[in-house]
Amino acid sequence: LGADGSTLQMYKVALAHRHAYDLGAGQIEWVDLGPGVVAFDHGPVRVVANLSATPIPFVGTVLASSGPVHSAIPSSTTIWIER
């Protein structure tokens, strides 16, 4: 099944959410969260990639992440949030 925190486990979680939220079908809407941040909405899911050096606060339930996330998205981290 993959160890907690492993890349394999992250992909399994992401693929499960992709299926559950029907991601990959329909349209995305780009969201401007400032320089160094790439974000888009797809239905109730927001994907945020923090490429800046500054942690970014967020609101919502974390569905998947590429690293540990608490109250803000750290630098070099991508998360999927249910808004």
Side-chain angles (χ1 to χ4, degrees):
L1 292 173
D4 284 344
S6 71
T7 301
L8 175 60
Q9 186 63 26
M10 180 191 68
Y11 276 100
K12 286 183 174 186
V13 167
L15 288 170
H17 288 307
R18 184 176 192 259
H19 177 72
Y21 289 93
D22 200 24
L23 303 176
Q27 301 292 318
I28 65 170
E29 182 178 330
W30 293 103
V31 178
D32 183 3
L33 295 180
V37 180
V38 177
F40 63 87
D41 291 340
H42 188 286
V45 176
R46 175 168 287 176
V47 177
V48 182
N50 184 5
L51 309 174
S52 74
T54 306
I56 299 181
F58 68 92
V59 176
T61 303
V62 176
L63 300 173
S65 68
S66 65
V69 175
H70 300 288
S71 61
I73 307 164
S75 179
S76 301
T77 303
T78 298
I79 66 170
W80 293 14
I81 308 165
E82 182 177 40
R83 300 177 290 127

Coordinates of all heavy atoms in Angstrom, one line a residue:
L1 N 0.8 -1.2 0.0 CA 0.0 0.0 0.0 C 0.8 1.3 0.0 O 0.3 2.3 -0.3 CB -0.9 0.0 1.2 CG -2.0 -1.1 1.2 CD1 -2.7 -1.1 2.6 CD2 -3.0 -0.9 0.1
G2 N 2.1 1.2 0.4 CA 2.9 2.4 0.5 C 3.0 2.9 1.9 O 2.0 2.9 2.6
A3 N 4.2 3.2 2.3 CA 4.4 3.7 3.7 C 3.9 5.2 3.8 O 3.9 5.9 2.8 CB 5.9 3.7 4.0
D4 N 3.3 5.5 4.9 CA 2.9 6.9 5.2 C 4.0 7.9 4.8 O 5.1 7.7 5.2 CB 2.4 7.1 6.6 CG 1.1 6.4 6.9 OD1 0.3 6.1 6.0 OD2 0.8 6.3 8.1
G5 N 3.6 8.9 4.0 CA 4.6 9.9 3.7 C 5.4 9.6 2.4 O 6.2 10.4 2.0
S6 N 5.2 8.4 1.9 CA 6.0 8.0 0.7 C 5.4 8.6 -0.5 O 4.2 9.0 -0.6 CB 6.1 6.5 0.6 OG 4.8 6.0 0.2
T7 N 6.2 8.7 -1.6 CA 5.8 9.2 -2.9 C 4.7 8.3 -3.4 O 3.7 8.8 -3.9 CB 6.9 9.3 -3.9 OG1 7.9 10.2 -3.3 CG2 6.5 9.9 -5.2
L8 N 4.8 7.0 -3.3 CA 3.8 6.1 -3.7 C 2.5 6.4 -3.0 O 1.4 6.4 -3.7 CB 4.2 4.7 -3.5 CG 3.2 3.6 -3.8 CD1 2.8 3.6 -5.3 CD2 3.7 2.2 -3.4
Q9 N 2.5 6.6 -1.7 CA 1.3 6.8 -1.0 C 0.6 8.1 -1.4 O -0.6 8.2 -1.6 CB 1.5 6.8 0.5 CG 0.3 7.0 1.4 CD -0.7 5.8 1.2 OE1 -0.3 4.7 0.9 NE2 -1.9 6.1 1.4
M10 N 1.5 9.2 -1.6 CA 0.9 10.5 -2.1 C 0.2 10.3 -3.4 O -0.9 10.8 -3.6 CB 2.1 11.5 -2.3 CG 1.6 12.8 -2.7 SD 2.9 14.0 -3.2 CE 3.5 13.2 -4.7
Y11 N 0.8 9.5 -4.4 CA 0.2 9.3 -5.7 C -1.1 8.5 -5.5 O -2.1 8.8 -6.2 CB 1.1 8.6 -6.7 CG 2.0 9.6 -7.3 CD1 3.3 9.8 -6.9 CD2 1.5 10.4 -8.4 CE1 4.1 10.8 -7.5 CE2 2.3 11.3 -9.0 CZ 3.6 11.5 -8.6 OH 4.4 12.4 -9.2
K12 N -1.2 7.5 -4.7 CA -2.4 6.7 -4.5 C -3.5 7.6 -3.9 O -4.6 7.5 -4.4 CB -2.1 5.6 -3.5 CG -1.3 4.5 -4.2 CD -1.1 3.3 -3.3 CE -0.5 2.1 -4.0 NZ -0.4 1.0 -3.2
V13 N -3.2 8.5 -3.0 CA -4.2 9.4 -2.4 C -4.7 10.3 -3.5 O -5.9 10.6 -3.6 CB -3.6 10.1 -1.2 CG1 -4.5 11.3 -0.8 CG2 -3.4 9.2 0.0
A14 N -3.7 10.9 -4.2 CA -4.1 11.9 -5.3 C -5.0 11.2 -6.3 O -6.0 11.8 -6.8 CB -2.8 12.5 -5.9
L15 N -4.7 10.0 -6.8 CA -5.5 9.3 -7.8 C -6.9 9.0 -7.2 O -7.8 9.0 -8.0 CB -4.7 8.0 -8.3 CG -3.5 8.3 -9.2 CD1 -2.8 7.0 -9.4 CD2 -4.0 8.9 -10.5
A16 N -6.9 8.6 -6.0 CA -8.3 8.3 -5.4 C -9.1 9.6 -5.4 O -10.3 9.5 -5.7 CB -8.1 7.8 -3.9
H17 N -8.5 10.7 -5.0 CA -9.3 12.0 -5.0 C -9.6 12.4 -6.4 O -10.7 13.0 -6.7 CB -8.5 13.1 -4.3 CG -8.5 12.9 -2.8 ND1 -9.6 12.7 -2.0 CD2 -7.5 12.8 -1.9 CE1 -9.3 12.6 -0.8 NE2 -8.0 12.6 -0.7
R18 N -8.7 12.2 -7.3 CA -9.0 12.5 -8.7 C -10.3 11.8 -9.2 O -11.1 12.3 -9.9 CB -7.8 12.1 -9.6 CG -8.0 12.5 -11.1 CD -6.7 12.2 -11.8 NE -6.7 12.8 -13.1 CZ -7.0 12.2 -14.3 NH1 -7.3 10.9 -14.2 NH2 -7.0 12.8 -15.4
H19 N -10.4 10.5 -8.8 CA -11.5 9.7 -9.2 C -12.8 10.2 -8.4 O -13.8 10.4 -9.0 CB -11.3 8.3 -8.9 CG -12.5 7.4 -9.2 ND1 -12.9 7.1 -10.5 CD2 -13.3 6.8 -8.4 CE1 -14.0 6.3 -10.4 NE2 -14.3 6.1 -9.1
A20 N -12.7 10.4 -7.1 CA -13.8 10.8 -6.3 C -14.4 12.1 -6.7 O -15.6 12.4 -6.6 CB -13.4 10.8 -4.8
Y21 N -13.5 13.1 -7.1 CA -14.0 14.5 -7.4 C -14.1 14.7 -8.9 O -14.4 15.8 -9.4 CB -13.0 15.5 -6.8 CG -13.1 15.6 -5.3 CD1 -12.3 14.9 -4.5 CD2 -14.1 16.4 -4.8 CE1 -12.4 15.0 -3.1 CE2 -14.2 16.5 -3.4 CZ -13.3 15.8 -2.6 OH -13.4 15.9 -1.2
D22 N -14.0 13.6 -9.7 CA -14.1 13.6 -11.2 C -13.1 14.7 -11.8 O -13.5 15.4 -12.7 CB -15.5 13.9 -11.6 CG -15.7 13.5 -13.1 OD1 -15.0 12.6 -13.6 OD2 -16.6 14.1 -13.7
L23 N -11.9 14.8 -11.2 CA -10.9 15.7 -11.7 C -10.4 15.2 -13.0 O -10.3 14.0 -13.2 CB -9.8 15.9 -10.7 CG -10.2 16.4 -9.3 CD1 -9.0 16.4 -8.3 CD2 -10.9 17.7 -9.4
G24 N -10.0 16.1 -13.9 CA -9.6 15.7 -15.2 C -10.7 15.8 -16.3 O -10.4 15.8 -17.4
A25 N -11.9 16.0 -15.8 CA -13.0 16.3 -16.7 C -13.5 17.7 -16.4 O -13.5 18.1 -15.3 CB -14.2 15.3 -16.4
G26 N -13.9 18.4 -17.4 CA -14.4 19.7 -17.2 C -13.3 20.8 -17.3 O -12.3 20.5 -17.8
Q27 N -13.6 21.9 -16.8 CA -12.8 23.1 -16.9 C -12.1 23.4 -15.6 O -12.6 23.1 -14.5 CB -13.6 24.3 -17.3 CG -14.3 24.2 -18.6 CD -13.3 24.1 -19.8 OE1 -12.3 24.8 -19.8 NE2 -13.5 23.2 -20.7
I28 N -10.9 24.1 -15.7 CA -10.3 24.6 -14.5 C -10.3 26.1 -14.6 O -10.5 26.7 -15.6 CB -8.8 24.2 -14.3 CG1 -7.9 24.7 -15.5 CG2 -8.7 22.7 -14.2 CD1 -6.4 24.5 -15.3
E29 N -10.2 26.8 -13.4 CA -10.2 28.2 -13.3 C -8.9 28.6 -12.6 O -8.7 28.3 -11.5 CB -11.4 28.7 -12.6 CG -11.5 30.2 -12.5 CD -12.8 30.7 -11.8 OE1 -13.8 30.0 -11.8 OE2 -12.7 31.8 -11.1
W30 N -8.1 29.4 -13.3 CA -6.8 29.9 -12.7 C -7.1 30.9 -11.6 O -8.0 31.7 -11.7 CB -5.9 30.5 -13.7 CG -5.4 29.5 -14.7 CD1 -5.9 29.3 -16.0 CD2 -4.5 28.5 -14.5 NE1 -5.3 28.3 -16.6 CE2 -4.4 27.8 -15.7 CE3 -3.6 28.1 -13.5 CZ2 -3.5 26.7 -15.9 CZ3 -2.8 27.1 -13.6 CH2 -2.7 26.4 -14.8
V31 N -6.4 30.8 -10.5 CA -6.5 31.6 -9.3 C -5.2 32.4 -9.1 O -4.2 31.7 -9.0 CB -6.9 30.8 -8.1 CG1 -7.1 31.7 -6.8 CG2 -8.2 30.0 -8.3
D32 N -5.3 33.7 -8.9 CA -4.1 34.5 -8.7 C -3.9 34.6 -7.2 O -4.7 35.3 -6.5 CB -4.3 35.9 -9.3 CG -3.0 36.7 -9.2 OD1 -2.0 36.3 -8.6 OD2 -3.1 37.9 -9.6
L33 N -2.9 34.0 -6.7 CA -2.6 34.1 -5.3 C -1.2 34.8 -5.0 O -0.7 34.7 -4.0 CB -2.5 32.7 -4.6 CG -3.8 31.9 -4.6 CD1 -3.6 30.5 -4.0 CD2 -4.9 32.7 -3.9
G34 N -0.7 35.4 -6.1 CA 0.5 36.2 -5.9 C 1.7 35.6 -6.7 O 1.6 34.5 -7.2
P35 N 2.8 36.4 -6.6 CA 4.0 35.9 -7.3 C 4.5 34.6 -6.7 O 4.5 34.5 -5.5 CB 5.0 37.0 -7.2 CG 4.3 38.1 -6.4 CD 2.9 37.7 -6.0
G36 N 5.0 33.7 -7.5 CA 5.6 32.5 -7.0 C 4.6 31.4 -6.6 O 5.0 30.4 -6.1
V37 N 3.3 31.7 -6.9 CA 2.3 30.7 -6.6 C 1.5 30.3 -7.8 O 1.0 31.2 -8.5 CB 1.3 31.2 -5.5 CG1 0.3 30.2 -5.1 CG2 2.1 31.7 -4.3
V38 N 1.3 29.1 -8.1 CA 0.5 28.6 -9.2 C -0.7 27.9 -8.6 O -0.6 27.0 -7.7 CB 1.2 27.6 -10.1 CG1 0.3 27.1 -11.2 CG2 2.4 28.3 -10.7
A39 N -2.0 28.4 -8.9 CA -3.2 27.8 -8.3 C -4.3 27.8 -9.3 O -4.4 28.6 -10.2 CB -3.6 28.6 -7.1
F40 N -5.1 26.7 -9.2 CA -6.3 26.7 -9.9 C -7.4 25.9 -9.2 O -7.1 25.1 -8.3 CB -6.1 26.0 -11.3 CG -5.6 24.6 -11.3 CD1 -6.5 23.5 -11.2 CD2 -4.3 24.3 -11.3 CE1 -6.1 22.2 -11.2 CE2 -3.8 23.0 -11.3 CZ -4.8 21.9 -11.2
D41 N -8.7 26.2 -9.6 CA -9.8 25.5 -9.0 C -10.4 24.6 -10.0 O -10.4 24.9 -11.2 CB -10.9 26.5 -8.6 CG -10.5 27.4 -7.4 OD1 -9.6 27.0 -6.7 OD2 -11.2 28.5 -7.3
H42 N -10.9 23.5 -9.6 CA -11.6 22.5 -10.4 C -12.7 22.0 -9.5 O -12.5 21.1 -8.6 CB -10.7 21.4 -10.8 CG -11.3 20.5 -11.8 ND1 -12.3 19.6 -11.5 CD2 -11.2 20.3 -13.2 CE1 -12.7 18.9 -12.6 NE2 -12.0 19.4 -13.6
G43 N -13.9 22.5 -9.7 CA -15.0 22.2 -8.8 C -14.7 22.6 -7.4 O -14.2 23.7 -7.2
P44 N -14.9 21.7 -6.5 CA -14.7 22.0 -5.1 C -13.2 21.9 -4.6 O -12.9 22.1 -3.5 CB -15.5 21.0 -4.3 CG -15.5 19.8 -5.2 CD -15.5 20.3 -6.6
V45 N -12.3 21.6 -5.6 CA -10.9 21.3 -5.3 C -10.1 22.5 -5.8 O -10.2 22.9 -6.9 CB -10.4 20.0 -5.9 CG1 -9.0 19.8 -5.6 CG2 -11.2 18.8 -5.3
R46 N -9.2 22.9 -4.9 CA -8.2 23.9 -5.3 C -6.8 23.3 -5.2 O -6.5 22.7 -4.2 CB -8.2 25.2 -4.4 CG -7.1 26.2 -4.7 CD -7.3 27.5 -4.0 NE -8.4 28.2 -4.8 CZ -8.9 29.3 -4.4 NH1 -8.4 30.0 -3.3 NH2 -9.9 29.9 -5.1
V47 N -6.0 23.5 -6.2 CA -4.6 23.0 -6.2 C -3.7 24.2 -6.1 O -3.9 25.2 -6.9 CB -4.3 22.2 -7.5 CG1 -2.8 21.8 -7.5 CG2 -5.2 21.0 -7.6
V48 N -2.8 24.2 -5.2 CA -1.9 25.3 -5.0 C -0.5 24.8 -4.9 O -0.1 23.9 -4.1 CB -2.2 26.0 -3.6 CG1 -1.3 27.2 -3.5 CG2 -3.7 26.5 -3.6
A49 N 0.4 25.3 -5.8 CA 1.8 25.0 -5.7 C 2.6 26.3 -5.3 O 2.5 27.3 -6.0 CB 2.3 24.6 -7.1
N50 N 3.2 26.2 -4.1 CA 3.9 27.3 -3.6 C 5.4 27.3 -4.1 O 6.2 26.5 -3.5 CB 3.9 27.4 -2.1 CG 4.5 28.6 -1.5 OD1 5.0 29.5 -2.3 ND2 4.6 28.7 -0.2
L51 N 5.7 28.1 -5.0 CA 7.1 28.1 -5.6 C 7.9 29.3 -5.0 O 9.0 29.5 -5.3 CB 7.1 28.2 -7.1 CG 6.2 27.1 -7.8 CD1 6.1 27.4 -9.3 CD2 6.7 25.7 -7.5
S52 N 7.2 30.1 -4.1 CA 7.8 31.2 -3.5 C 8.6 30.8 -2.2 O 8.5 29.6 -1.8 CB 6.8 32.3 -3.1 OG 6.0 31.9 -2.0
A53 N 9.3 31.7 -1.6 CA 10.0 31.4 -0.4 C 9.2 31.7 0.9 O 9.6 31.4 2.0 CB 11.3 32.3 -0.3
T54 N 8.0 32.2 0.7 CA 7.1 32.6 1.8 C 5.9 31.6 1.9 O 5.3 31.2 1.0 CB 6.4 34.0 1.5 OG1 7.5 34.9 1.2 CG2 5.6 34.4 2.6
P55 N 5.7 31.1 3.2 CA 4.6 30.2 3.4 C 3.3 30.9 3.1 O 3.1 32.2 3.3 CB 4.7 29.9 4.9 CG 6.1 30.1 5.3 CD 6.5 31.3 4.4
I56 N 2.3 30.2 2.6 CA 1.0 30.8 2.2 C -0.1 30.2 3.0 O -0.3 29.0 3.0 CB 0.8 30.5 0.7 CG1 1.9 31.1 -0.2 CG2 -0.6 31.0 0.2 CD1 1.7 30.9 -1.6
P57 N -0.9 31.1 3.7 CA -2.0 30.6 4.4 C -3.1 30.0 3.5 O -3.2 30.4 2.3 CB -2.5 31.8 5.2 CG -2.0 32.9 4.5 CD -0.8 32.5 3.8
F58 N -3.9 29.1 4.0 CA -5.0 28.6 3.2 C -6.2 28.2 4.1 O -6.1 28.1 5.3 CB -4.6 27.3 2.4 CG -4.3 26.1 3.3 CD1 -5.3 25.2 3.6 CD2 -3.0 26.0 3.9 CE1 -5.0 24.1 4.4 CE2 -2.8 24.9 4.8 CZ -3.8 24.0 5.0
V59 N -7.4 28.1 3.4 CA -8.6 27.7 4.1 C -9.1 26.5 3.4 O -9.2 26.5 2.2 CB -9.6 28.8 4.1 CG1 -10.9 28.4 4.7 CG2 -9.1 30.1 4.8
G60 N -9.5 25.5 4.1 CA -10.0 24.3 3.5 C -9.4 23.0 4.1 O -8.6 23.1 5.0
T61 N -9.9 21.9 3.6 CA -9.4 20.6 4.1 C -8.4 20.1 3.1 O -8.6 20.0 1.9 CB -10.6 19.6 4.2 OG1 -11.6 20.1 5.1 CG2 -10.1 18.2 4.7
V62 N -7.2 19.7 3.6 CA -6.1 19.2 2.8 C -6.5 17.8 2.4 O -6.7 16.9 3.2 CB -4.8 19.2 3.5 CG1 -3.7 18.6 2.6 CG2 -4.4 20.6 3.9
L63 N -6.6 17.6 1.0 CA -6.8 16.2 0.5 C -5.5 15.5 0.2 O -5.5 14.3 0.4 CB -7.6 16.4 -0.8 CG -9.0 17.0 -0.7 CD1 -9.6 17.3 -2.1 CD2 -9.9 16.2 0.2
A64 N -4.5 16.2 -0.3 CA -3.2 15.6 -0.6 C -2.2 16.7 -0.6 O -2.5 17.9 -0.8 CB -3.3 14.9 -2.0
S65 N -1.0 16.3 -0.3 CA 0.1 17.3 -0.3 C 1.4 16.6 -0.5 O 1.6 15.4 -0.3 CB 0.2 18.0 1.1 OG 0.6 17.2 2.1
S66 N 2.4 17.4 -1.1 CA 3.7 16.9 -1.4 C 4.6 17.0 -0.2 O 5.8 16.6 -0.3 CB 4.3 17.6 -2.6 OG 4.5 19.0 -2.3
G67 N 4.2 17.5 0.9 CA 5.0 17.6 2.1 C 4.1 18.0 3.3 O 2.9 18.2 3.1
P68 N 4.7 18.1 4.5 CA 3.9 18.4 5.7 C 3.3 19.8 5.5 O 4.0 20.7 5.1 CB 4.9 18.4 6.8 CG 6.1 17.7 6.2 CD 6.1 17.8 4.8
V69 N 2.0 19.9 5.9 CA 1.3 21.2 5.9 C 0.5 21.3 7.2 O -0.1 20.4 7.6 CB 0.3 21.2 4.7 CG1 -0.5 22.5 4.7 CG2 1.1 21.1 3.4
H70 N 0.6 22.5 7.8 CA -0.1 22.8 9.0 C -1.1 24.0 8.7 O -2.1 23.8 8.1 CB 0.8 23.0 10.2 CG 1.7 21.8 10.4 ND1 1.2 20.6 10.9 CD2 3.0 21.6 10.2 CE1 2.2 19.7 11.0 NE2 3.3 20.3 10.5
S71 N -0.7 25.1 9.1 CA -1.6 26.3 8.9 C -1.2 27.1 7.7 O -2.0 28.0 7.3 CB -1.5 27.2 10.2 OG -0.2 27.7 10.3
A72 N -0.1 26.8 7.0 CA 0.3 27.5 5.8 C 1.0 26.5 4.9 O 1.5 25.4 5.3 CB 1.2 28.6 6.2
I73 N 1.0 26.8 3.6 CA 1.7 25.9 2.6 C 3.2 26.4 2.6 O 3.5 27.5 2.2 CB 1.1 26.1 1.2 CG1 -0.5 25.9 1.3 CG2 1.7 25.2 0.2 CD1 -1.2 26.4 0.1
P74 N 4.1 25.5 2.9 CA 5.5 25.8 2.9 C 6.0 26.0 1.5 O 5.4 25.6 0.5 CB 6.2 24.7 3.6 CG 5.1 23.8 4.2 CD 3.8 24.1 3.5
S75 N 7.1 26.6 1.4 CA 7.8 26.8 0.1 C 8.1 25.4 -0.5 O 8.3 24.4 0.2 CB 9.2 27.5 0.3 OG 9.8 27.6 -0.9
S76 N 8.0 25.3 -1.8 CA 8.3 24.1 -2.6 C 7.3 22.9 -2.2 O 7.7 21.8 -2.2 CB 9.7 23.6 -2.4 OG 10.6 24.6 -2.8
T77 N 6.1 23.3 -2.0 CA 5.0 22.3 -1.6 C 3.8 22.6 -2.4 O 3.4 23.7 -2.7 CB 4.7 22.4 -0.1 OG1 5.9 22.2 0.7 CG2 3.6 21.4 0.3
T78 N 3.1 21.5 -2.8 CA 1.9 21.6 -3.5 C 0.8 20.8 -2.7 O 1.1 19.8 -2.2 CB 2.0 20.9 -4.9 OG1 3.0 21.6 -5.7 CG2 0.7 20.9 -5.7
I79 N -0.4 21.4 -2.7 CA -1.5 20.8 -1.9 C -2.7 20.8 -2.8 O -2.9 21.6 -3.7 CB -1.8 21.4 -0.6 CG1 -2.3 22.8 -0.7 CG2 -0.5 21.3 0.3 CD1 -2.8 23.4 0.7
W80 N -3.6 19.8 -2.5 CA -5.0 19.8 -3.0 C -5.9 20.1 -1.8 O -5.7 19.4 -0.8 CB -5.3 18.4 -3.6 CG -4.5 18.0 -4.8 CD1 -3.4 18.6 -5.3 CD2 -4.9 16.9 -5.7 NE1 -3.0 17.9 -6.5 CE2 -3.9 16.9 -6.7 CE3 -5.9 16.0 -5.7 CZ2 -3.9 16.0 -7.7 CZ3 -5.9 15.0 -6.7 CH2 -4.9 15.0 -7.7
I81 N -6.8 21.1 -2.0 CA -7.6 21.5 -0.9 C -9.1 21.3 -1.3 O -9.4 21.7 -2.4 CB -7.4 22.9 -0.5 CG1 -5.9 23.3 -0.3 CG2 -8.2 23.3 0.7 CD1 -5.6 24.7 -0.3
E82 N -9.9 20.8 -0.4 CA -11.3 20.8 -0.6 C -11.8 22.1 0.0 O -11.6 22.4 1.2 CB -12.1 19.7 0.0 CG -13.5 19.7 -0.2 CD -14.3 18.5 0.4 OE1 -13.9 18.1 1.5 OE2 -15.2 18.0 -0.3
R83 N -12.3 23.0 -0.9 CA -12.7 24.4 -0.4 C -14.1 24.3 0.3 O -14.9 23.6 0.1 CB -12.8 25.3 -1.6 CG -11.4 25.5 -2.3 CD -11.5 26.4 -3.5 NE -12.2 25.8 -4.6 CZ -13.2 26.4 -5.2 NH1 -13.6 27.6 -4.9 NH2 -13.9 25.8 -6.2

